[in-house]
Amino acid sequence: MKPAALLLLLASAAAQAEPIGSVDTAFKLIGPDHKIVVDAYDDPKVQGVTCYVSRAKTGGISGAIGLAEDKAEASIACRQVGPIAIKQPLARQEEVFNERISLVFKKLRIVRMVDAPRNTLVYLTYSDRLIDGSPQNSITAVPVGRETVIPLKK
């Protein structure tokens, strides 16, 4: 395997969602119930930061076979879960994760922004569509101790 392909594979593996739990929100006679799911995402470039995202997941027959379009509503909370280590310079703004929430057109995205003057990592979650995205979003911030300067790409 080529080194570039291996790096891409490792980077995509690092940003996989880990299911934390779910609650049912509506009973469906056939197929799974509608749910709110909570997933954890470790920032692939910032060791010690995990983002928890809750979002709606459509059930029923269409949800069971992957044809349903999930709602654009999501909430995010990112926390320091260990010592923060940043091994490479970060872009001022970078998508760190995305997940398809409809068969073709809609994605849930998580973007990391660096607030350098405050030494803080800001995470935004939103969804977009091929034609028309949603303005619904959620934001959270993780302050980084002054002893750890956030390196930025030039």
Side-chain angles (χ1 to χ4, degrees), residues 4 9 16 26-27 40 54 62 67-69 100 109 113-114 120 126 128:
L9 180 65
Q16 295 298 315
F27 173 76
S54 67
S62 60
L67 296 177
E69 183 171 303
R100 192 172 306 282
R109 299 184 182 275
M113 301 172 193
V114 178
T120 298
Y126 68 100
D128 66 358

Side-chain angles (χ1 to χ4, degrees), residues 17-91:
E18 179 184 335
I20 299 299
S22 66
V23 294
D24 291 349
T25 58
F27 173 76
K28 300 304 282 180
L29 187 58
I30 300 175
D33 293 344
H34 294 320
K35 298 179 181 297
I36 296 174
V37 297
V38 177
D39 295 319
Y41 302 88
D42 294 326
D43 188 320
K45 292 186 179 176
V46 181
Q47 182 180 340
V49 173
T50 299
C51 293
Y52 298 91
V53 176
S54 67
R55 63 182 178 84
K57 187 153 181 70
T58 304
I61 295 171
S62 60
I65 60 175
L67 296 177
E69 183 171 303
D70 293 337
K71 293 187 177 188
E73 301 154 1
S75 181
I76 189 169
C78 298
R79 298 293 184 261
Q80 179 177 349
V81 295
I84 291 181
I86 305 168
K87 297 187 180 186
Q88 58 186 331
L90 302 176

Side-chain angles (χ1 to χ4, degrees), residues 54-132:
S54 67
R55 63 182 178 84
K57 187 153 181 70
T58 304
I61 295 171
S62 60
I65 60 175
L67 296 177
E69 183 171 303
D70 293 337
K71 293 187 177 188
E73 301 154 1
S75 181
I76 189 169
C78 298
R79 298 293 184 261
Q80 179 177 349
V81 295
I84 291 181
I86 305 168
K87 297 187 180 186
Q88 58 186 331
L90 302 176
R92 290 196 177 273
Q93 181 172 316
E94 175 180 17
E95 183 173 289
V96 293
F97 187 82
N98 71 64
E99 180 178 342
R100 192 172 306 282
I101 55 177
S102 78
L103 184 61
V104 178
F105 300 112
K106 198 183 226 181
K107 284 189 175 181
L108 176 74
R109 299 184 182 275
I110 300 173
V111 175
R112 178 193 340 98
M113 301 172 193
V114 178
D115 179 359
R118 292 164 192 81
N119 213 46
T120 298
L121 301 170
V122 179
Y123 293 86
L124 168 73
T125 187
Y126 68 100
S127 70
D128 66 358
R129 271 189 174 158
L130 187 60
I131 305 296
D132 181 29

